[in-house]
Amino acid sequence: MQLSKSYIIFLFTVMALSVGEARADYPIGKRRTAITGTFNYFYSDKFFDANGKLTNNFPGDYFQSTFYSLNVMHGLGRRIDLTATLPFAKQTLVNGNNSETRSGITDINLGLSFHFPSVDYKRYFTLKAAVGVPAYQNNQTPYLGFASKAVMMGANYSFTPYKNGYAILEFMYTRFLDSQDGPNQYRGSLTIGKMYNKHTSVTASIAHLVSQSVNTAFNPNLQLNKNFNAATMNVSVGRKINRSITPTIQAYYTLLGRNAGLGLGVNFFVTVRLP
């Protein structure tokens, strides 16, 4: 087995870490609904080894993925939002003379967000809780994920640090339940954005994901290798077409990592706010 095959799960995890709309995390509004459709392209032909050293795959080897998701957010109340995400991925792994492709629905998520605004509604503290259920089994490579149920808990703080700007500090914890060695994952991120002309937003963010498990040894078997970390940075530009529709394009890059793939890619997503 060539070494590049050992990093599929990390490549996909880094890709998933980078997918998402960069926006201030304010409540959607009571009985209001927002739908976001996302397209993501991801490519990697390098990886960070156990010492964090950037290493090339074998010549001609690469991992490529296209990722689609539909996210629905609905306001149950003025401060409580319900969120559901349905993702679909198509992945290709070229490994020597062997090329493998797999596609399917990945991890379906359902969650709640609880918002606590300041008196002037310029700052929000948000608590989040969600569950993830895999819609696949790891019986064929490239694997689509850990194939494990998960629980997620987190919090973020949204505020306006300058005129027409916003910032989000967020921390998320994820526990995969179907195996004794987890893993446990910890994700922290900082997002800074600014609105221009009330229509265009430019956003930059950096995120760091740490995956920990009692199984600390690196192993070519994907299901046994659950210790890694990766930091990504992305920049996005969004443009409101009208009060209801906002398309956004986002580019991202893996800055550093350990036992993780170096990934680069682009996201395109459109948010539609229903009346």
Side-chain angles (χ1 to χ4, degrees):
M1 178 182 292
Q2 296 188 26
L3 189 59
S4 62
K5 199 168 185 176
S6 304
Y7 290 85
I8 304 169
I9 199 77
F10 309 127
L11 294 168
F12 188 76
T13 303
V14 171
M15 183 202 74
L17 172 68
S18 306
V19 176
E21 181 181 5
R23 63 172 181 82
D25 195 5
Y26 302 144
I28 192 66
K30 185 177 181 180
R31 297 179 182 175
R32 293 185 177 181
T33 301
I35 301 175
T36 300
T38 300
F39 168 80
N40 169 273
Y41 174 78
F42 178 93
Y43 179 86
S44 179
D45 61 1
K46 299 180 178 66
F47 63 89
F48 297 98
D49 65 16
N51 297 315
K53 180 181 178 181
L54 184 61
T55 304
N56 290 322
N57 284 353
F58 288 98
D61 289 4
Y62 66 88
F63 177 84
Q64 177 180 281
S65 176
T66 52
F67 179 88
Y68 310 85
S69 71
L70 183 66
N71 176 271
V72 179
M73 180 182 293
H74 180 72
L76 298 179
R78 295 180 63 185
R79 300 181 183 180
I80 303 176
D81 295 333
L82 174 68
T83 304
T85 303
L86 179 67
F88 180 92
K90 179 180 180 181
Q91 303 175 182
T92 299
L93 173 68
V94 175
N95 202 30
N97 295 324
N98 185 39
S99 178
E100 298 175 299
T101 298
R102 188 183 181 192
S103 61
I105 298 173
T106 60
D107 295 284
I108 301 171
N109 290 339
L110 184 66
L112 290 171
S113 297
F114 303 87
H115 305 278
F116 302 91
S118 63
V119 175
D120 56 5
Y121 291 94
K122 291 184 178 181
R123 297 178 301 278
Y124 280 85
F125 178 72
T126 301
L127 294 175
K128 298 183 177 184
V131 295
V133 179
Y136 59 94
Q137 294 181 346
N138 281 341
N139 50 20
Q140 176 187 347
T141 57
Y143 291 163
L144 297 178
F146 287 118
S148 171
K149 293 185 291 293
V151 293
M152 291 150 274
M153 296 175 289
N156 67 42
Y157 178 61
S158 305
F159 59 100
T160 55
Y162 45 83
K163 185 179 180 180
N164 297 326
Y166 61 86
I168 312 168
L169 284 169
E170 182 171 80
F171 175 80
M172 294 295 295
Y173 166 75
T174 302
R175 168 68 181 181
F176 291 89
L177 303 173
D178 291 341
S179 177
Q180 291 183 350
D181 55 6
N184 294 310
Q185 293 187 343
Y186 307 87
R187 178 183 184 271
S189 66
L190 170 63
T191 300
I192 298 178
K194 183 175 177 62
M195 292 293 300
Y196 294 90
N197 303 322
K198 297 183 179 180
H199 297 288
T200 303
S201 63
V202 178
T203 303
S205 65
I206 186 168
H208 190 212
L209 174 68
V210 177
S211 184
Q212 296 180 340
S213 172
V214 294
N215 182 357
T216 59
F218 181 81
N219 193 298
N221 186 329
L222 294 176
Q223 293 180 328
L224 299 179
N225 195 353
K226 298 180 178 180
N227 269 271
F228 65 94
N229 64 72
T232 59
M233 181 175 184
N234 67 61
V235 177
S236 64
V237 178
R239 174 75 178 180
K240 286 186 178 181
I241 296 178
N242 52 44
R243 295 181 62 183
S244 300
I245 302 175
T246 306
T248 302
I249 189 167
Q250 179 184 83
Y252 62 89
Y253 182 77
T254 310
L255 299 174
L256 54 88
R258 180 183 60 83
N259 285 341
L262 171 67
L264 55 89
V266 61
N267 303 323
F268 178 75
F269 41 89
V270 178
T271 298
V272 178
R273 294 179 179 271
L274 304 181

